[in-house]
Amino acid sequence: MEERYFTVGMAGHIDHGKTSLTKALTNVETDRLKEEKERGISIESGYAPLNLEAGVSVSIVDVPGHERFIRQMIAGVAGIDLVVLVVAADEGIMPQTEEHLEILQFLGVERCIVAISKIDRVDEVMLELVKDDVKERLLKTAFHEAPYVALDSLSGKGIDELKQIILTELKAMKFRDAYGSFRLPIDQVFTVQGQGTVVRGTVYEGVVRKASQLLLLPGGIFVKARQIQVHHEESKQARAGQRTAINLSGIERTAVKRGDVLVDSDHFLVTDTIDVALQVIGRKFAPLKQRTAVRLHIGTSEVMGKIVFFDRKELEQTPDEVLCQIRLDEKIVVRRGDRFILRRPSPMETIGGGWVIQPNGDKYRFGNETIDMLRHHQQGTPQDLVIDALNKYILLDLKQLMQQTSLAGIILKETLKEGLASRVWLEVSRQGYSLTKTFIKIKDELLARLQQFHEDFPMRTGMGKAELVQSVSATYPKSLLEYSLNLLLEQNEIQRSGQFVALTPFSPNLPKKWHVRMEQIIGTLEKDGFQAKKWEDYFIGSPLPKLEIAELTSYLLESGQAYRLREDTIIHHTAFENALNKLRQQTGPSFDLKQAKDILNLSRKYMIPFLELLDGLNYTRRTEDQRHWMEDRT
């Protein structure tokens, strides 16, 4: 049976017995700091292992309850699977209990156990009143079906019952993804004498192993996991859901801070602009105006920023989810779906919380169009997220898709496989993807440009491939254009001749506008045979533009309808072929200039250029005064 790892949080008002309950469950004193022991309150979150049964490994997180330490509480609760809400029987629900409840729901904690502590201080009537009060408060929350247990941490009454309820709740839960990429938001950093820098945190996802090469974000510093501990015991690895300490090599203590994130791949996105779905608290608060400074708590990060609305000028208490954006003063590491808490920095109060729709937000216009776009992102399936990313960036590899969609690797790979099978997108290159509709758009544009080129220059073999690619390279990546051209060649929609590309089955032809006049000139050239005039003389008195004359010249020479005899003279292919055939029939394997002149009866003016043309076309090879027929051209 595979080991399952969970983190259980203790939450509640100050002095309601969270730390005592944690000790009763685990026999571990979680108040470590001298100041905590002197003042009798928890400042930093404390952690302890809870042994329940084989196959289930649990970390208990005792989070601070005092309002001054709310940020530590948020960081401690981030990443827990189950919360034990501790309510003292002699006080009942208190203000900090209320705020903790809100924070727990905003952070997406779905399971709760209510532990009514200090029952030795009250009678049965008071205990029932407190229990009813808590039930009423939880009625409209995600925890309305939470189980209850009455206990006393000092005497141990109810502790075994609580353990059993914790085990039952955890077994009903889906445990975290240990197969994805490793991610550890850091909540504590310190130095151990002789060991160096050590970081602590709860593994959000994936597995980290001893000697693993890791990346510290957002700084982008490569480090190595020299040693791993789980609850003060050395381990070869730490998995999703486990509380761990990692001794890092290759970095100084001063280069690491709370809120940094350790990962094992570079596909995690570093961002300072996030699109979010925000749910505000259920009580009234001073309206939050457009671009007001806010404090974002996400993972173990605590960052200042500004809130940006697209459908209102200020935020008031509302039961509706608000789609908006937070522009941060610092870079953070987040993925789609990560939960956050939003607080007002002054006066310090919780405004609300929610989840990240798009980690890589952009600047949008104010109005319903942006809200519709955000709602689409919010409701999108994994396939929708991939489509949105490819619509925006056209061509993305696997790493870039993981960054832009924030999908876990295993989910993304399955989504890509399904999309390829249904032809929603294409694999352009090794792990490079683009939408099929983008290819169709490129295809139509390339074919349209070739069609226009053929209309503008009908006498040319085709458009230069480099010129064609360049004409659309401002819109599409070069690799995608190359892929599109190759696919069009495979599909026989285009043809290639050397460096030129043309539509299938295009072949060079005379333009309709000048067809008759050009045919007349070509006919005259054919009639003149080897007595051809200078090429430019054929256009005396002709209305043909110079550009068309140049095009016609290239067309005749490149298509083999004419040959250049001298710089200023070309001859028709019939004259060339008649002379070639006559000379070949009346000579042996070789011949000299005199023989050729006698056979063809040409003057030296035409004879020498013709023989040099034969050499140039590899019909003959000259050796001193002899020319030898080339066998491969017979």
Side-chain angles (χ1 to χ4, degrees):
M1 180 179 177
E2 186 177 6
E3 188 81 5
R4 302 176 70 181
Y5 302 93
F6 300 96
T7 301
V8 175
M10 293 285 180
H13 194 73
I14 181 175
D15 201 30
H16 274 211
K18 297 185 301 299
T19 303
S20 297
L21 178 55
T22 301
K23 186 175 181 180
L25 285 168
T26 66
N27 201 31
V28 173
E29 176 65 67
T30 56
D31 278 349
R32 309 173 317 280
L33 302 178
K34 179 182 178 182
E35 185 181 2
E36 291 177 334
K37 294 183 180 295
E38 290 175 349
R39 296 169 60 182
I41 61 173
S42 297
I43 298 172
E44 293 284 352
S45 298
Y47 300 85
L50 173 61
N51 298 315
L52 294 175
E53 69 171 35
V56 179
S57 179
V58 180
S59 293
I60 295 288
V61 183
D62 173 18
V63 299
H66 195 281
E67 64 174 348
R68 288 177 55 194
F69 309 122
I70 195 74
R71 73 180 184 87
Q72 283 90 340
M73 181 268 173
I74 293 171
V77 169
I80 72 169
D81 302 293
L82 166 70
V83 64
V84 175
L85 182 66
V86 183
V87 181
D90 57 344
E91 288 191 328
I93 293 283
M94 297 293 284
Q96 214 61 52
T97 316
E98 295 274 4
E99 187 164 20
H100 281 204
L101 276 171
E102 290 175 337
I103 289 171
L104 289 165
Q105 292 180 93
F106 290 146
L107 291 177
V109 179
E110 296 178 351
R111 289 183 177 265
C112 172
I113 300 170
V114 178
I116 300 179
S117 64
K118 302 184 181 183
I119 61 173
D120 60 316
R121 299 186 182 185
V122 299
D123 56 25
E124 287 296 326
V125 176
M126 183 63 180
L127 182 60
E128 286 302 314
L129 287 174
V130 171
K131 186 175 180 180
D132 290 342
D133 184 34
V134 176
K135 282 187 174 181
E136 184 179 352
R137 173 61 187 86
L138 297 186
L139 196 58
K140 294 183 179 180
T141 73
F143 309 136
H144 62 278
E145 294 182 350
Y148 288 73
V149 57
L151 52 83
D152 177 56
S153 299
L154 298 181
S155 67
K157 184 177 181 179
I159 298 300
D160 288 341
E161 182 184 356
L162 176 59
K163 286 183 179 180
Q164 187 56 50
I165 293 175
I166 290 174
L167 182 60
T168 301
E169 290 290 312
L170 293 180
K171 282 186 171 182
M173 294 181 63
K174 178 183 178 182
F175 64 109
R176 295 181 187 227
D177 178 15
Y179 304 102
S181 297
F182 168 72
R183 178 166 58 141
L184 174 78
I186 296 169
D187 55 47
Q188 294 175 9
V189 187
F190 53 93
T191 303
V192 174
Q193 186 71 31
Q195 296 294 320
T197 303
V198 177
V199 299
R200 279 199 188 118
T202 300
V203 182
Y204 267 33
E205 54 192 324
V207 179
V208 61
R209 295 178 175 84
K210 186 176 178 179
S212 294
Q213 293 292 332
L214 303 173
L215 181 64
L216 181 70
L217 297 174
I221 303 171
F222 288 97
V223 295
K224 187 176 182 179
R226 178 187 293 163
Q227 187 183 49
I228 297 173
Q229 286 190 356
V230 177
H231 291 304
H232 305 291
E233 293 185 5
E234 190 168 347
S235 176
K236 292 182 179 180
Q237 65 178 31
R239 298 165 63 89
Q242 282 189 305
R243 181 73 185 168
T244 186
I246 304 177
N247 178 208
L248 301 178
S249 63
I251 194 167
E252 296 294 325
R253 160 70 182 84
T254 53
V256 191
K257 67 181 186 302
R258 181 188 192 128
D260 286 349
V261 181
L262 270 180
V263 299
D264 65 354
S265 67
D266 58 358
H267 71 252
F268 285 94
L269 191 67
V270 176
T271 181
D272 59 7
T273 304
I274 57 176
D275 301 335
V276 301
L278 172 66
Q279 188 73 53
V280 299
I281 57 176
R283 59 186 184 276
K284 286 190 175 182
F285 57 88
L288 202 63
K289 296 186 180 299
Q290 177 77 289
R291 299 181 185 274
T292 294
V294 291
R295 189 183 298 274
L296 177 79
H297 297 265
I298 189 163
T300 58
S301 296
E302 179 184 352
V303 185
M304 291 296 296
K306 293 180 180 178
I307 191 163
V308 179
F309 304 113
F310 302 104
D311 60 350
R312 67 196 72 205
K313 294 299 182 182
E314 65 179 22
L315 177 65
E316 297 181 302
Q317 202 284 321
T318 174
D320 300 325
E321 204 168 37
V322 179
L323 303 181
C324 56
Q325 185 177 83
I326 303 172
R327 297 176 186 172
L328 303 168
D329 297 344
E330 303 173 37
K331 298 279 188 180
I332 61 171
V333 181
V334 294
R335 290 181 64 167
R336 174 182 165 86
D338 282 357
R339 311 291 300 203
F340 68 89
I341 299 295
L342 201 65
R343 305 196 83 213
R344 192 196 303 270
S346 181
M348 190 74 75
E349 64 175 340
T350 300
I351 296 298
W355 62 283
V356 178
I357 298 172
Q358 170 56 268
N360 192 24
D362 207 342
K363 289 188 176 180
Y364 315 124
R365 291 183 177 181
F366 187 93
N368 291 332
E369 185 177 345
T370 294
I371 295 298
D372 290 342
M373 179 270 293
L374 293 176
R375 187 170 290 112
H376 172 72
H377 285 172
Q378 177 191 25
Q379 299 170 354
T381 63
Q383 186 173 98
D384 292 333
L385 296 175
V386 173
I387 290 172
D388 288 343
L390 294 179
N391 265 325
K392 184 175 181 180
Y393 296 101
I394 301 177
L395 178 65
L396 294 173
D397 60 23
L398 185 62
K399 168 191 164 184
Q400 292 166 330
L401 278 170
M402 292 181 79
Q403 288 180 330
Q404 298 304 325
T405 63
S406 282
L407 291 171
I410 191 169
I411 295 175
L412 177 59
K413 288 176 182 177
E414 185 60 31
T415 302
L416 290 174
K417 183 179 178 181
E418 292 171 359
L420 287 173
S422 59
R423 303 291 290 176
V424 176
W425 45 72
L426 304 168
E427 190 168 8
V428 174
S429 56
R430 188 175 180 271
Q431 293 189 326
Y433 301 87
S434 189
L435 294 174
T436 301
K437 71 173 187 178
T438 301
F439 163 71
I440 293 172
K441 187 177 178 182
I442 292 174
K443 166 186 168 181
D444 291 344
E445 192 164 342
L446 290 173
L447 296 181
R449 286 179 181 269
L450 285 175
Q451 181 60 46
Q452 188 60 52
F453 186 88
H454 293 332
E455 291 174 7
D456 293 340
F457 305 101
M459 291 181 283
R460 296 190 187 183
T461 303
M463 189 176 186
K465 179 191 170 187
E467 181 185 355
L468 178 60
V469 170
Q470 183 63 32
S471 69
V472 290
S473 61
T475 308
Y476 304 105
K478 186 176 179 181
S479 58
L480 181 54
L481 293 173
E482 291 284 353
Y483 169 84
S484 300
L485 285 172
N486 289 334
L487 200 55
L488 288 173
L489 281 168
E490 289 178 16
Q491 296 172 349
N492 201 34
E493 293 197 55
I494 62 172
Q495 55 190 341
R496 185 172 178 180
S497 176
Q499 63 180 344
F500 299 105
V501 180
L503 295 175
T504 301
F506 171 82
S507 60
N509 58 90
L510 299 177
K512 291 180 181 179
K513 182 177 180 180
W514 305 107
H515 189 276
V516 174
R517 293 184 180 276
M518 287 182 174
E519 283 285 14
Q520 291 173 345
I521 291 170
I522 295 170
T524 303
L525 179 68
E526 182 178 15
K527 181 180 178 182
D528 289 345
F530 261 97
Q531 304 304 316
K533 301 175 289 188
K534 289 183 177 181
W535 180 234
E536 63 183 27
D537 291 344
Y538 285 91
F539 301 98
I540 296 174
S542 171
L544 283 177
K546 287 185 178 181
L547 178 61
E548 295 297 336
I549 294 173
E551 290 290 319
L552 177 61
T553 306
S554 297
Y555 165 71
L556 292 174
L557 294 175
E558 290 173 10
S559 64
Q561 294 183 59
Y563 294 90
R564 188 174 293 281
L565 196 61
R566 297 188 305 180
E567 185 65 29
D568 59 356
T569 307
I570 67 174
I571 57 172
H572 196 272
H573 73 95
T574 55
F576 171 82
E577 289 166 3
N578 288 337
L580 172 65
N581 292 332
K582 189 174 182 180
L583 189 60
R584 180 179 281 154
Q585 292 168 4
Q586 297 184 36
T587 59
S590 62
F591 61 92
D592 58 19
L593 174 62
K594 184 177 184 304
Q595 286 177 288
K597 189 173 182 297
D598 291 343
I599 293 170
L600 298 178
N601 194 29
L602 293 177
S603 66
R604 194 177 182 85
K605 172 183 175 182
Y606 294 105
M607 192 72 252
I608 297 297
F610 175 68
L611 294 179
E612 289 177 348
L613 179 59
L614 292 179
D615 294 340
L617 296 174
N618 290 322
Y619 283 103
T620 57
R621 176 174 54 83
R622 181 180 177 182
T623 303
E624 295 182 351
D625 64 342
Q626 292 290 311
R627 279 184 166 81
H628 306 270
W629 291 107
M630 303 291 286
E631 292 183 4
D632 58 348
R633 293 303 300 266
T634 57

